[in-house]
Amino acid sequence: MEVIVTHSNADCDAFASLVGASLLYPEATIVLGRRVSPRVRDFLALHREHFEHMRYDELDADAVQRVIVVDVRRAGRLADFPALVARMQSDDGPVVHIYDHHAPAADDLDGELVVVERVGATATILVEEMQRRALTPDPVECTLFMLAIYVDTGSLTYDTTTPRDAAAVGWLLSRGASLAMVDRYLRLALSDEQQSVLTRLLASLQPRKVGATTVAVGGVNLERDVNGLALIATHV
């Protein structure tokens, strides 16, 4: 058995990377964790039949022979898969392939194949690999990959954006990605609860000098879990 996994509360880049990896590893099964972000939840609601997957609690970790890990390589961020992580860290565990774009951390997993590139989104890495293999994702998949790149790069405006991200977007557009659909998900509205957290967070911001740069620092204590904190952060 081969599986593809990503971090808890999968965001657009994580989910798109799961789908991208499934095109590179057609025998592998996507396994979703306990939660996904609001954008991913809404995208799946419209296209659920398009993306076959299993849930984390359906996985038999002992049966897995190869794991493809995307958009993460920190063991601590794979909290939904403790048995699988334990096997990956053992001497006789499954083969591990990793695709990621994040900075290194102390609890990074190792693998037989580790592809880590400093680009704006992991989806960019997988799109480039599709191009090398002459794979052609369909328009729905292209739209998902482009949404992931747009979200993780602030529509190609963040400092982490690279020419490779822009080139990937161009290639996806040429293969049917829908800008209208991307725009729809980028404009996803906050719930009343999320808006309340955002208002409190903005009110808490205090300017601080860090070297020659002024940054705003703030925080909110939450009495219970609030879904979609990453979406809230994009509005700050």
Side-chain angles (χ1 to χ4, degrees):
M1 184 180 186
E2 300 181 21
V3 297
I4 313 168
V5 299
T6 190
H7 55 78
S8 304
N9 199 26
D11 55 16
C12 286
D13 192 28
F15 181 67
S17 297
L18 290 171
V19 174
S22 73
L23 300 180
L24 302 179
Y25 299 84
E27 300 302 316
T29 300
I30 293 172
V31 186
L32 285 179
R34 190 182 305 269
R35 290 182 177 180
V36 297
S37 72
R39 282 195 181 101
V40 172
R41 184 184 63 239
D42 287 357
F43 197 92
L44 271 174
L46 187 61
H47 302 288
R48 185 168 298 277
E49 287 83 13
H50 200 92
F51 303 110
E52 294 185 3
H53 62 275
M54 70 166 58
R55 284 174 45 86
Y56 70 100
D57 51 3
E58 299 174 315
L59 177 64
D60 178 5
D62 291 333
V64 176
Q65 296 177 320
R66 179 160 66 177
V67 186
I68 300 93
V69 185
V70 295
D71 198 41
V72 67
R73 62 189 189 279
R74 295 187 58 184
R77 296 198 66 203
L78 292 167
D80 291 336
F81 308 102
L84 186 60
V85 170
R87 287 202 62 220
M88 284 191 281
Q89 294 175 318
S90 67
D91 292 336
D92 58 348
V95 173
V96 178
H97 289 188
I98 297 171
Y99 297 86
D100 192 21
H101 75 126
H102 295 100
D107 63 338
D108 282 350
L109 295 165
D110 198 7
E112 179 181 271
L113 174 68
V114 178
V115 181
V116 179
E117 304 282 354
R118 298 309 298 271
V119 291
T122 302
T124 295
I125 301 169
L126 296 167
V127 167
E128 290 176 339
E129 186 60 30
M130 292 174 216
Q131 291 176 267
R132 281 191 285 269
R133 300 190 191 185
L135 298 175
T136 303
D138 65 35
V140 172
E141 293 161 344
C142 288
T143 299
L144 173 62
F145 302 147
M146 189 164 71
L147 174 63
I149 296 170
Y150 267 42
V151 169
D152 259 32
T153 65
S155 299
L156 305 178
T157 65
Y158 293 165
D159 289 343
T160 53
T161 305
T162 70
R164 293 166 60 183
D165 301 300
V169 166
W171 186 79
L172 293 167
L173 274 172
S174 73
R175 276 150 182 79
S178 169
L179 281 170
M181 288 294 289
V182 168
D183 183 64
R184 167 184 169 178
Y185 288 104
L186 287 176
R187 294 176 183 272
L188 189 64
L190 297 177
S191 67
D192 290 343
E193 186 177 42
Q194 291 168 332
Q195 187 62 56
S196 175
V197 172
L198 175 61
T199 300
R200 292 164 56 195
L201 181 59
L202 290 173
S204 74
L205 294 177
Q206 297 290 332
R208 294 184 183 178
K209 200 76 171 178
V210 180
T213 304
T214 300
V215 299
V217 179
V220 175
N221 291 321
L222 300 177
E223 294 75 26
R224 61 189 184 85
D225 288 347
V226 175
N227 196 23
L229 289 179
L231 179 60
I232 296 170
T234 65
H235 287 69
V236 177

